[in-house]
Amino acid sequence: MRSSSIRAAFSGLALGVELICGVCALSTKRQNDFNSCVQDPDVTILGPTDNGYQDARQAFNRRLSYSPAAIVYPTTTQEVQKVVQCAAASNLTVVARSGGHSYAAFGLGGKDGSLVVDLSKMKSLSVDPATGWAICQPGNLLGNLAQGIWDQAQRALPHGTCPYVGTGGHAAYGGFGMFGRTAGLLLDRVISAEVVLANGTVVLASSDSYDDLFWAIRGAAPSFGIVTQWTFDTLPAPPITINYEITYQSQVSKQDAARALSAMQSFAASNPSPKLSLLCPISPDQAGSVSFKFYGSFYGEESEFTSTIQPFINMLPGSPQLTHNSFNWIDGLVAITGPLDTSKPEDPNTFFAKSILIRPESLLSNDSWSSWVDYMTSTSTTLSYWSQLDVYGGVISDVAEDATAYSHRDAILNIQFYGSAPQGQPPFPQEGIAFMDGLVSSLEPNVQSAYPNYIDPTLTPEQWHTQYYANNYQRLTVLKKAYDPNNVFSFPQSIEVAP
């Protein structure tokens, strides 16, 4: 009996090895077919045995590690065309990497075996002084974009505050930031986009041509093609930026912290001036309560700022203190983001994040805010974690829910939950994801809406379909069938092909 069990075990092992070797052979054949197809000395291709591959496959989020079939570095749209054609012919799934900041490492495929098209060498950026339109390739990071359009034409765009985030994914999935209530999401400033489709053709998507594709890429671009060039409608930079903080000089009780957060929600629901941004970072402190402050920018005159912010201060418990300073546009931006120069490598992190969007019909109760503060002060973890609340709305809400694939227009708060491993280094604590799930559910146990750029790879298909795309998901699947029927552009949360 024992010998037959051993023979069966070895038989199973042999079969397993045979299957693994078969998969390896298939993967190697696909890569060889791809390399033979490209045959372009100007296109750098890094395969698993090439020098530089191991460094190139590292995710910004070191919680995740994937091994692409190859990583390719095109420099022109024509090279991207050739790469996509050859990948499709070799039965390789394709993903694009702009800045590599995907929380779920979807720019590396979100799984092993994808063909990664790294766009970091495509960094052209120019502003037409007559129209204010900026033509931007996706290798530009947000720091490059902000500094470039200011230097060339004293122009501005709404976008996030991390200079190292890539313009490709940021614009594709929303592009919310402090200037957003004034100027919209970054994707709302898109005039047109040059897109390489799954069959290798290049089209210009805009409201006048390929308008259905134009709708889809403003919210779900990586599922439909590779954007090799965005055209943004920039704005004259506001002449005055007032940066401000509202702080407490002494520790705030848990009860007053919950009241302050509830006050922020009430103020957001009152639809304050779109010239105002308001944020609240919050984390547990060492004294059994939470540490938080309010800060933001106002794009206008001081008298108008005072009349806008004072009602919020009046709503807060205790005796908060307001401080503020005035800047020009670029100096005010740098005061928030830090230096815009991205020439030095960015330090990676090891983390897990989630988000929720609070809508007017589902405002959180006072008990919910208290429950959240209680969780932060009573639940232990080895994670270093924080959350941030951003007042949403303004002109973002002037756009209809179905005007773009990005659907979340009537939200009033955007909340991000972010937990890092100790010192930001692997491994991520085993209980970390469960802790972060608990952090969210202590505030809102039934999440209906979330922000796609804070992507959560643990969501079920039903959850991410609804939370990221709401009623727009079904139309996206139909367009996916039209533009990418063979699912060339595929990753764990890419749009599915309609039956």
Side-chain angles (χ1 to χ4, degrees):
M1 182 73 175
R2 185 170 177 270
S3 60
S4 63
S5 297
I6 293 173
R7 285 195 299 272
F10 273 103
S11 176
L13 177 62
L15 177 60
V17 171
E18 182 178 332
L19 288 172
I20 291 171
C21 291
V23 171
C24 293
L26 178 60
S27 177
T28 302
K29 181 180 185 305
R30 287 176 176 173
Q31 185 184 340
N32 290 339
D33 289 348
F34 172 76
N35 292 349
S36 299
C37 177
V38 174
Q39 288 187 332
D40 187 336
D42 294 328
V43 178
T44 300
I45 303 174
L46 295 180
T49 61
D50 293 324
N51 291 333
Y53 171 86
Q54 293 301 328
D55 287 339
R57 76 174 186 87
Q58 295 297 316
F60 168 72
N61 184 0
R62 295 298 166 85
R63 186 177 66 84
L64 304 167
S65 178
Y66 299 112
S67 297
I71 304 170
V72 188
Y73 296 83
T75 60
T76 67
T77 298
Q78 291 70 34
E79 290 173 0
V80 175
Q81 281 185 273
K82 183 67 172 177
V83 166
V84 171
Q85 288 171 340
C86 291
S90 304
N91 293 316
L92 291 167
T93 58
V94 178
V95 292
R97 179 168 67 177
S98 174
H101 251 260
S102 168
Y103 282 11
F106 287 165
L108 287 167
K111 59 184 178 182
D112 293 336
S114 298
L115 191 285
V116 175
V117 182
D118 186 294
L119 303 167
S120 59
K121 294 186 177 182
M122 300 180 66
K123 286 191 171 182
S124 174
L125 174 63
S126 62
V127 182
D128 184 333
T131 63
W133 291 4
I135 299 175
C136 175
Q137 289 187 318
N140 286 292
L141 308 182
L142 294 185
N144 309 134
L145 176 64
Q147 191 69 62
I149 62 175
W150 169 263
D151 289 344
Q152 292 186 39
Q154 307 280 286
R155 307 290 286 190
L157 280 169
H159 51 70
T161 55
C162 177
Y164 283 87
V165 166
T167 54
H170 193 62
Y173 285 121
F176 175 70
M178 294 177 66
F179 195 37
R181 300 189 72 252
T182 307
L185 302 168
L186 183 57
L187 65 78
D188 292 330
R189 309 303 304 182
V190 175
I191 295 296
S192 64
E194 181 182 79
V195 188
V196 177
L197 300 177
N199 62 7
T201 60
V202 179
V203 300
L204 186 68
S206 71
S207 58
D208 297 321
S209 63
Y210 294 91
D211 58 330
D212 54 353
L213 178 65
F214 186 55
W215 178 87
I217 63 173
R218 290 175 295 159
S223 293
F224 291 88
I226 297 179
V227 175
T228 52
Q229 181 173 284
W230 298 100
T231 299
F232 297 114
D233 185 12
T234 68
L235 297 156
I240 301 174
T241 296
I242 298 173
N243 289 349
Y244 69 93
E245 285 192 354
I246 302 170
T247 58
Y248 287 89
Q249 303 306 303
S250 59
Q251 186 185 24
V252 178
S253 69
K254 294 193 298 182
Q255 293 76 16
D256 277 351
R259 292 187 187 103
L261 296 170
S262 183
M264 183 180 184
Q265 178 182 247
S266 297
F267 182 69
S270 73
N271 193 25
S273 168
K275 296 180 182 180
L276 181 78
S277 67
L278 173 60
L279 302 87
C280 175
I282 183 169
S283 59
D285 65 16
Q286 301 299 314
S289 188
V290 290
S291 174
F292 66 97
K293 67 177 181 179
F294 302 98
Y295 77 98
S297 298
F298 186 83
Y299 308 102
E301 299 290 339
E302 183 165 352
S303 59
E304 189 179 2
F305 165 65
T306 301
S307 63
T308 299
I309 200 64
Q310 192 60 50
F312 175 58
I313 296 174
N314 294 343
M315 297 167 70
L316 294 172
S319 302
Q321 302 297 309
L322 170 67
T323 58
H324 64 281
N325 292 287
S326 296
F327 303 88
N328 66 17
W329 165 257
I330 200 69
D331 291 342
L333 183 63
V334 170
I336 297 291
T337 66
L340 298 175
D341 180 20
T342 58
S343 58
K344 295 180 180 179
E346 183 186 24
D347 291 333
N349 200 349
T350 304
F351 66 95
F352 176 71
K354 299 178 78 72
S355 70
I356 59 176
L357 290 164
I358 305 301
R359 308 177 87 105
E361 67 273 15
S362 56
L363 297 182
L364 299 172
S365 67
N366 292 335
D367 287 344
S368 294
W369 295 112
S370 295
S371 169
W372 192 41
V373 172
D374 285 343
Y375 186 93
M376 286 187 275
T377 56
S378 64
T379 310
S380 62
T381 179
T382 58
L383 292 176
S384 173
Y385 73 95
W386 51 266
S387 302
Q388 180 161 288
L389 298 77
D390 292 65
V391 173
Y392 204 72
V395 302
I396 296 171
S397 301
D398 293 342
V399 180
E401 292 270 322
D402 61 354
T404 61
Y406 183 94
S407 66
H408 303 306
R409 297 295 181 168
D410 66 346
I412 62 166
L413 283 177
N414 185 356
I415 308 177
Q416 178 180 192
F417 311 81
Y418 192 105
S420 298
Q423 289 78 52
Q425 299 296 319
F428 190 76
Q430 189 170 8
E431 80 287 353
I433 291 178
F435 175 86
M436 296 301 294
D437 285 341
L439 178 65
V440 175
S441 61
S442 69
L443 179 64
E444 173 52 88
N446 185 28
V447 176
Q448 296 298 309
S449 304
Y451 179 52
N453 264 324
Y454 302 149
I455 201 84
D456 177 0
T458 69
L459 297 180
T460 66
E462 182 180 5
Q463 287 173 326
W464 68 260
H465 294 174
T466 300
Q467 292 182 25
Y468 295 149
Y469 297 106
N471 294 328
N472 290 340
Y473 188 75
Q474 186 59 40
R475 183 184 177 191
L476 282 166
T477 65
V478 174
L479 292 174
K480 176 75 169 178
K481 185 175 183 178
Y483 283 100
D484 185 14
N486 296 320
N487 206 21
V488 172
F489 299 109
S490 175
F491 47 94
Q493 289 183 4
S494 59
I495 303 299
E496 297 160 326
V497 179

